[in-house]
Amino acid sequence: MLDDRAKLLLKTLVERYIAEGQPVGSRTLSRASGLDLSPATIRNVMADLEDLGLIASPHTSAGRVPTARGYRLFVDTMLTVQPEPLPAPELPPELAPEQPQKVIANAAQLLSNLSQFVGVVLAPRRASVFRQIEFLRLSERRLLVIIVSPEGDVQNRVIFTDVDYTQSQLLETANFLNAHCAGLSMEQVREKLKSEVETLRGEIAALMQAAVNASSEALSAAQEEVVISGERNLLSVSDFSADMAHLRRAFALFEQKTQILRLLDITNQAEGVRIYIGGESQVVPFEELSVVSASYEIDGKVVGTLGVIGPTRMPYDRMIQIVDITSKLVSNALSHRP
């Protein structure tokens, strides 16, 4: 456990490093902390903090910088969020709940503009519902399933079957699904097929089950969308502009998107604003990046996540406010208010 003196010195060191981006020496700490301590005493405390893995000494400087573990202790136990006057953030007033894609795009841009880092939003997941389904025989036991969503989006999936279906069987299956299951969620379709399996011929029931599985995967994949705004803001961050390798790694992350999806999926289960420090776990594997995120809701139900991605040396108190305010704005914009 750290005593109060060590906590104050660590808090002061982290705040100075976030503000200035330079390793913090004992003389600076002595002045900034307000403690009447000799430089030797401060150096001893810093040595203890270094032994605990909370700070580190770059090879080029006698000063110290926070480690991922030091940042984590800081944000969990020492960070105080003082409400500061932020620009009144607004989404365009004409956006309606029926325009979720525009709301999401505007939210990502708003996060980026306010933070001057990267804004990310995981689009809300809709229920996997189809409007129409068709089959096209490609070759023996190989079919193309064509799924049309209620919004008119078309998804295709190739499936392999145990039986070589005739075109009339494919038409019969499509007609049944379109007549009895269009507009239902995939879970509802599965339950319906279970209850009616006795009235369906075995080969047709098997084809329907395969089609429903393929449709569910296709519609879910189409909804896994991350909107990213402001990647170029990292060019002006000294932590990245001074090291092109760091910058390339960051841009590769945004291009792949899969890691961001995984991260936002994890934060989707959490309440309130969450902070993920780069390098402290595999959640954010890059030491140079941290994420501040929060979930947003539609009519009281959590449907997605948004956040800010920036350098580990970011002003966390300000980012918390920005993310919290934006999540509330998006929830209001997407919800159907009476």
Side-chain angles (χ1 to χ4, degrees):
M1 285 290 291
L2 298 181
D3 60 24
D4 291 341
R5 182 176 65 181
K7 288 179 181 178
L8 178 57
L9 287 175
L10 177 61
K11 181 176 186 289
T12 304
L13 185 146
V14 174
E15 290 173 343
R16 295 290 293 194
Y17 184 67
I18 287 175
E20 300 175 2
Q22 298 296 323
V24 183
S26 56
R27 186 172 299 177
T28 301
L29 267 184
S30 179
R31 291 197 305 267
S33 67
L35 295 176
D36 186 18
L37 300 173
S38 68
T41 300
I42 290 182
R43 282 194 296 269
N44 289 336
V45 176
M46 291 177 74
D48 291 340
L49 294 175
E50 192 165 1
D51 289 341
L52 291 170
L54 299 172
I55 61 175
S57 176
H59 297 301
T60 56
S61 169
R64 303 295 195 276
V65 300
T67 62
R69 190 173 177 182
Y71 277 121
R72 170 52 61 195
L73 184 61
F74 170 76
V75 300
D76 284 350
T77 65
M78 305 174 190
L79 183 64
T80 53
V81 180
Q82 297 291 344
E84 60 174 290
L86 291 173
E90 289 186 1
L91 295 171
E94 69 275 9
L95 293 183
E98 291 75 20
Q99 302 173 293
Q101 293 306 112
K102 289 185 178 180
V103 173
I104 296 307
N106 277 276
Q109 188 172 7
L110 181 65
L111 286 165
S112 174
N113 291 342
L114 290 175
S115 68
Q116 290 301 297
F117 297 133
V118 182
V120 292
V121 184
L122 177 61
R125 290 179 174 174
R126 303 183 298 272
S128 297
V129 176
F130 70 88
R131 185 178 74 197
Q132 185 177 354
I133 189 167
E134 302 294 340
F135 299 98
L136 180 64
R137 187 177 185 275
L138 298 177
S139 60
E140 185 178 348
R141 300 182 185 178
R142 185 165 164 264
L143 307 175
L144 179 67
V145 185
I146 305 166
I147 311 109
V148 183
S149 75
E151 294 77 26
D153 299 326
V154 179
Q155 297 292 321
N156 299 318
R157 275 291 187 277
V158 175
I159 62 173
F160 297 87
T161 60
D162 295 329
V163 178
D164 185 18
Y165 293 98
T166 66
Q167 190 58 46
S168 62
Q169 288 176 314
L170 297 179
L171 184 60
E172 178 186 350
T173 304
N175 287 342
F176 180 91
L177 290 172
N178 290 330
H180 298 91
C181 303
L184 301 179
S185 71
M186 287 303 168
E187 287 305 314
Q188 291 173 317
V189 175
R190 286 193 179 93
E191 291 302 315
K192 189 175 182 65
L193 293 182
K194 283 180 186 176
S195 64
E196 300 187 9
V197 71
E198 298 298 327
T199 64
L200 298 169
R201 296 200 309 278
E203 66 271 17
I204 296 298
L207 175 57
M208 287 184 180
Q209 190 60 53
V212 169
N213 291 338
S215 302
S216 182
E217 292 175 5
L219 292 171
S220 295
Q223 294 173 29
E224 291 285 9
E225 183 180 357
V226 177
V227 180
I228 302 174
S229 179
E231 301 98 314
R232 294 186 65 84
N233 285 339
L234 296 184
L235 293 172
S236 60
V237 176
S238 60
D239 306 58
F240 294 102
S241 60
D243 191 326
M244 291 305 296
H246 289 177
L247 193 60
R248 280 193 293 269
R249 290 183 71 194
F251 273 87
L253 172 69
F254 300 128
E255 287 175 3
Q256 293 171 357
K257 292 190 178 181
T258 52
Q259 189 76 29
I260 297 177
L261 266 174
R262 195 174 301 119
L263 170 67
L264 294 182
D265 266 338
I266 292 171
T267 62
N268 207 13
Q269 311 304 318
E271 293 185 3
V273 178
R274 298 295 296 269
I275 298 174
Y276 296 86
I277 307 295
E280 70 175 354
S281 72
Q282 284 305 304
V283 176
V284 187
F286 302 134
E287 292 184 7
E288 309 84 26
L289 291 173
S290 286
V291 181
V292 180
S293 67
S295 58
Y296 62 91
E297 304 173 347
I298 295 181
D299 298 325
K301 182 180 179 181
V302 173
V303 295
T305 315
L306 53 77
V308 168
I309 299 179
T312 307
R313 186 181 65 84
M314 67 164 75
Y316 291 97
D317 52 349
R318 180 177 171 82
M319 296 305 110
I320 288 171
Q321 291 185 75
I322 290 171
V323 169
D324 185 47
I325 290 171
T326 306
S327 71
K328 290 180 172 63
L329 284 173
V330 172
S331 296
N332 289 334
L334 291 177
S335 295
H336 295 76
R337 303 298 181 190

